[in-house]
Structures are given as C-alpha cells and as structure tokens.
Amino acid sequence: MPTALTVKLFAQYQACRYASVAAISVWVYDYFLTVADELELLWSRNGILVKSLYLMVSAIPTAISFPDLMGCILREDICPSLVSPSLQEVSSQHGNLTDPTR
C-alpha cells in the first residue's frame, strides 16, 4: 500500500513531466508560427550584428534548455526543481515510483 508521501511525490513527478511536455509544445508551436517571418526579415538581409544578437537571444538559450526539458520527460528520475530531495530516499526504499500502487 503506498504511503501518503509516496503518492504526493509521484504526483509531483507527473506534474514535472507534464510541465516539460507543455513547455516543449509551446516552444515548437511558437517556432513554427514565426519561422517564415524570421527567414524573410532576418536571414535574407545583410548585417552580422543583428544576426549575432538574434542567435544569442533565441538559439543559444534554446540549445541549452531543450536537452534538459527532454531529459525530464524521457528519464525515469525526477525533475529536481519541483520535487524535494527526499524522493531519492523514498524511491530507494519503496522501489520505482512509476507505479503508484506499489
């Protein structure tokens, strides 16, 4: 029978995964909405300074955060920003938390 702490931690784990999927979905949606304007207004013109600033503002943060979001969805461990550190102890005592009936 799962304890109240185990159920709470599993719910936080699921919330982290859902939030990651939502963030990736919004990012992909925004990208496809603006890619035509980006190609027309930015990359078809001359000027290295504006292109460099655009890459620093958009592409670099995306390249850094996207693998972390995907890792939170695909891995079986927990997103550390939303779940308390004691989950590792609970997980080791009660087994894998992907099954809330354990």
Side-chain angles (χ1 to χ4, degrees):
M1 195 72 181
T3 64
L5 178 62
T6 305
V7 172
K8 180 181 177 184
L9 292 175
F10 182 75
Q12 290 176 341
Y13 171 68
Q14 285 300 103
C16 178
R17 293 181 94 170
Y18 292 149
S20 297
V21 169
I24 290 171
S25 300
V26 169
W27 177 81
V28 169
Y29 178 72
D30 178 63
Y31 175 78
F32 282 113
L33 281 178
T34 60
V35 72
D37 292 336
E38 176 185 333
L39 292 173
E40 177 187 344
L41 299 173
L42 183 67
W43 299 111
S44 64
R45 300 179 187 216
N46 294 333
I48 191 76
L49 179 63
V50 173
K51 292 177 184 178
S52 300
L53 290 174
Y54 178 79
L55 284 175
M56 285 177 28
V57 169
S58 67
I60 293 173
T62 301
I64 292 171
S65 63
F66 190 75
D68 186 43
L69 286 173
M70 288 301 295
C72 194
I73 295 169
L74 299 176
R75 291 187 313 234
E76 289 298 320
D77 61 349
I78 306 303
C79 293
S81 61
L82 294 179
V83 180
S84 66
S86 64
L87 181 61
Q88 295 300 330
E89 296 171 12
V90 172
S91 176
S92 65
Q93 292 172 359
H94 296 287
N96 191 356
L97 290 179
T98 58
D99 182 10
T101 61
R102 289 180 95 173

